[in-house]
Amino acid sequence: MSTGLSGPPIPEHTRFVFVTGGVISALGKGIASASIGLLLKSQGYAVSFLKFDPYLNVDPGTMNPYQHGEVFVTHDGAETDLDMGHYERFGGSVLTSLSNVTSGRIYEAVIERERQGGYLGATVQVVPHVTNEIKARLRRLAAAERADVVIAEIGGTIGDIEGQPFLEAARQFRIDAGERRVCFVHLTLVPFIKTAGEFKTKPTQHSVRELRAIGIQPDVLLCRAETGLPAELKRKIGLHTSVPARAVFAAVDARSVYEVPLNLAREGVDTRILEHLDLPARERRIEEWERLVERLQTPATDVRIGVVGKYVELRDAYKSLGEALTHGGFAHDARVRIRWIEAESLENGDLSPLDGCDGILVPGGFGSRGTEGMAAAAGRARRERVPFFGICYGFQWAIVEFARSRCGLDGASTEEIDPEADHHIFAKVRGLEGVERMGGTMRVGAVPCLLEEGSVAFASYGTTRIEERHRHRYEFMKRYRQLVESRGMVFSGSTEDGFFEVAEIPDHPWFVAVQFHPEFQSNPRRPHPLFRDFIGAALAHRDARKAGAADPVAHQGPASSGHRSRAASPG
Ligand code: GLN
């Protein structure tokens, strides 16, 4: 019988760390996995990541942000889970489509193979065909990335029906690879019950019991807890779970996710994992990260940024964006305070929620709800010379607003929300016309873009050739370029095949809008240049506003050239 085995063998030197979660969701499995990766990397090991998502969507691209949070886009154009963003930011890695696999993707491959006759008449089953396909993905990633350690996070919580094939595949994988080449890390919760004045270990005991019922004995337990756990308690947990007490660790609540790797390092989690994997522990080089956390805790100043979006009550929808803003603050030793503003709330003409913002950002989005609010926010930033950053949908609405207010095109809109509009400033991307399918039909992934020398964008990047990631269906219509530029908004970046991707207003302290998503490439160690300079401009605006309030005469011109030079080359 064909079992459908495919793909390369397990690379001889690669080890695997499976991360599972129990008790409840949202314990921070993604951050824990990313942190373990960071720590192993800091000891000089080549690490790669794989996130298994048990849902049946082929990728999260079609999912509502309320369901799923942000869709993270990889350089090679995969629409993936937001944990991929944590892995890239913590691991300092660039991941590919191989690093995120859903049940939908697995079943798609299995069914396609069955239709091709690839199983030679066998009855196609979850075990072994689906589990083999899952294991093949692990081997494929390990072979492609030549990693010393692959960290494979299994989404969901132990006990979920959808997660079973992944856990079964992981159980088998330990047999395939060998006991010491696979380490199971299980993240659980140890609640502190105030009325009893005690930590409670029962949920952890049950969760591990469930894992063992599947045949997986965890090697390391990470126990989420409000505070550190006493040795006695670790011993008790160890006794009930057959995990040695020295492999039971507290994952204490942290003020910021950036502290988690340092907390886990203090507990010695990485050392224990390496010991299990029979790899030598080396010196950890995490000084850079320590400095970063220090800076995060004691910023010299702060700045307020208004983010005008559509899913603001759900911060996960803007995960990378929030992180990139934080990184932009790092560059100036500033804490970025984000005021999340529901775009729809600005549609009644009352723009007061924007009062007191030192910078305004309109991020990506889809559909019609809130779009007039996004346009209104861009308009106010333009008129009142408040630093403005438009990203993707924010780029599109900043330009539509400009076309309406400055170019006399009252009927300007985007085909996305108004197919009958007089002026489609944005229309379906070339080649996508007539494509009505939803999944996998956007312009996605990194594309090189050329910047005009002398532009604000060029000043930021310090180079003419950049590569940024995309995820959109509509593009700027070139026929409006001349009119728009004649009124003072210029296009300073475009691709070789003629996509206009960067727009700015030279006669403004800092007004930059981009069709791509720079937030996906920002890293705490290397804040993205546009976020760095947007925050720089916002700080300059804040200072000028304060000075203006103290001295009304000085405030007459809303932007002095002083702002601009500071914005172009911040400290
Ligand atoms: N809805 C717009 C488009 O599809 C913008 C997409 C986005 O912001 N990611 O072109």
Side-chain angles (χ1 to χ4, degrees):
M1 175 180 92
S2 165
T3 55
L5 264 185
S6 67
I10 304 175
E12 232 153 65
H13 73 287
T14 309
R15 314 292 211 273
F16 298 82
V17 176
F18 286 98
V19 181
T20 56
V23 186
I24 56 168
S25 60
L27 288 180
K29 231 177 330 118
I31 295 289
S33 305
S35 301
I36 292 170
L38 181 154
L39 293 175
L40 298 183
K41 264 190 116 164
S42 78
Q43 298 197 29
Y45 289 103
V47 173
S48 197
F49 297 90
L50 204 165
K51 171 81 191 284
F52 285 120
D53 279 307
Y55 50 73
L56 285 172
N57 305 60
V58 172
D59 63 41
T62 56
M63 278 157 93
N64 184 328
Y66 289 109
Q67 293 274 318
H68 184 269
E70 164 182 285
V71 172
F72 186 82
V73 179
T74 59
H75 222 63
D76 66 347
E79 299 176 79
T80 70
D81 185 70
L82 60 76
D83 278 327
M84 296 275 284
H86 298 311
Y87 304 159
E88 287 207 347
R89 288 186 285 269
F90 280 48
S93 348
V94 177
L95 303 175
T96 69
S97 59
L98 293 178
S99 282
N100 191 198
V101 177
T102 67
S103 289
R105 182 75 71 195
I106 296 286
Y107 278 93
E108 186 187 46
V110 169
I111 290 169
E112 176 58 23
R113 186 161 183 177
E114 185 271 334
R115 293 288 83 183
Q116 303 276 347
Y119 295 105
L120 307 177
T123 306
V124 181
Q125 293 174 301
V126 173
V127 182
H129 303 100
V130 167
T131 45
N132 280 348
E133 184 61 33
I134 294 169
K135 293 194 291 180
R137 301 290 168 142
L138 279 157
R139 296 194 304 270
R140 207 172 297 162
L141 174 79
E145 309 227 333
R146 301 166 171 279
D148 298 319
V149 183
V150 170
I151 298 179
E153 178 189 344
I154 300 179
T157 309
I158 298 304
D160 295 347
I161 290 176
E162 302 85 17
Q164 301 278 342
F166 292 98
L167 294 164
E168 168 60 15
R171 181 192 70 79
Q172 294 176 13
F173 203 81
R174 173 178 268 180
I175 301 167
D176 298 351
E179 188 78 18
R180 296 298 293 273
R181 287 177 58 201
V182 174
C183 181
F184 280 98
V185 176
H186 188 55
L187 179 65
T188 74
L189 176 71
V190 177
F192 185 81
I193 304 299
K194 289 200 177 68
T195 45
E198 268 182 349
F199 284 110
K200 289 293 177 191
T201 65
K202 198 69 86 188
T204 296
Q205 294 178 36
H206 281 297
S207 172
V208 173
R209 194 170 302 157
E210 196 140 359
L211 200 53
R212 291 170 63 177
I214 304 165
I216 294 175
Q217 167 63 43
D219 304 300
V220 170
L221 292 182
L222 289 184
C223 305
R224 256 310 277 278
E226 279 176 43
T227 59
L229 298 177
E232 184 47 41
L233 205 85
K234 289 183 177 175
R235 264 197 298 280
K236 180 177 174 190
I237 293 172
L239 185 70
H240 283 280
T241 57
S242 297
V243 175
R246 63 192 179 86
V248 178
F249 299 101
V252 297
D253 295 352
R255 275 166 299 178
S256 101
V257 294
Y258 294 96
E259 291 176 28
V260 175
L262 302 183
N263 293 346
L264 298 189
R266 221 168 287 126
E267 288 269 308
V269 176
D270 49 343
T271 314
R272 175 64 202 154
I273 290 173
L274 289 172
E275 187 185 323
H276 177 87
L277 295 174
D278 217 2
L279 290 172
R282 306 177 186 150
E283 196 193 342
R284 269 187 217 117
R285 309 302 308 260
I286 47 170
E287 303 80 7
E288 191 188 12
W289 198 267
E290 283 167 344
R291 277 199 300 277
L292 200 122
V293 170
E294 235 176 73
R295 219 175 328 144
L296 183 75
Q297 283 163 351
T298 53
T301 182
D302 56 351
V303 61
R304 183 171 304 285
I305 301 297
V307 173
V308 180
K310 187 174 162 184
Y311 318 102
V312 293
E313 71 272 34
L314 184 82
R315 304 295 143 74
D316 270 3
Y318 301 108
K319 197 82 195 171
S320 297
L321 182 86
E323 295 297 315
L325 282 167
T326 303
H327 306 160
F330 285 169
H332 304 274
D333 208 4
R335 172 179 290 132
V336 177
R337 296 192 186 278
I338 301 177
R339 183 184 293 167
W340 300 96
I341 300 164
E342 185 58 62
E344 219 174 356
S345 78
L346 302 180
E347 290 185 340
N348 61 7
D350 173 13
L351 301 185
S352 62
L354 296 169
D355 291 353
C357 290
D358 306 312
I360 295 172
L361 190 153
V362 179
F366 294 85
S368 58
R369 187 171 67 77
T371 49
E372 289 307 320
M374 296 176 195
R380 166 144 164 188
R382 182 177 57 74
R383 290 188 306 275
E384 301 193 0
R385 305 175 69 80
V386 179
F388 176 82
F389 195 5
I391 294 178
C392 209
Y393 221 17
F395 166 84
Q396 300 182 359
W397 283 98
I399 298 173
V400 169
E401 190 283 326
F402 192 84
R404 289 176 184 169
S405 325
R406 300 282 298 129
C407 308
L409 302 179
D410 289 345
S413 190
T414 158
E415 195 184 4
E416 175 168 358
I417 67 153
D418 188 357
E420 308 299 325
D422 294 341
H423 296 281
H424 284 148
I425 310 293
F426 286 85
K428 260 283 176 70
V429 162
R430 284 160 259 172
L432 291 185
E433 307 100 338
V435 179
E436 295 314 321
R437 262 169 72 107
M438 285 303 277
T441 55
M442 276 192 256
R443 178 173 180 249
V444 279
V447 179
C449 172
L450 296 172
L451 300 178
E452 299 287 337
E453 279 186 42
S455 62
V456 174
F458 173 77
S460 266
Y461 284 95
T463 173
T464 50
R465 195 190 146 92
I466 60 168
E467 241 180 63
E468 292 282 9
R469 302 181 192 176
H470 298 71
R471 181 171 183 253
H472 66 121
R473 259 195 205 95
Y474 296 85
E475 64 167 309
F476 176 70
M477 292 290 97
K478 247 190 282 192
R479 60 177 173 277
Y480 293 104
R481 178 184 185 181
Q482 220 177 1
L483 176 60
V484 168
E485 292 205 325
S486 72
R487 304 312 312 258
M489 176 184 268
V490 301
F491 290 88
S492 55
S494 55
T495 65
E496 264 161 12
D497 51 351
F499 284 91
F500 285 79
E501 309 232 281
V502 184
E504 47 188 78
I505 299 179
D507 182 28
H508 186 284
W510 206 91
F511 193 107
V512 177
V514 295
Q515 179 60 76
F516 43 76
H517 288 275
E519 68 272 27
F520 294 137
Q521 290 201 84
S522 188
N523 191 280
R525 307 168 186 88
R526 282 177 289 100
H528 189 286
L530 290 178
F531 282 91
R532 179 198 66 204
D533 291 358
F534 171 55
I535 298 299
L539 283 163
H541 179 78
R542 180 205 64 182
D543 292 346
R545 198 155 48 91
K546 279 190 186 156
D551 171 8
V553 183
H555 193 47
Q556 274 177 2
S560 70
S561 57
H563 300 165
R564 213 173 305 155
S565 60
R566 168 142 187 216
S569 53

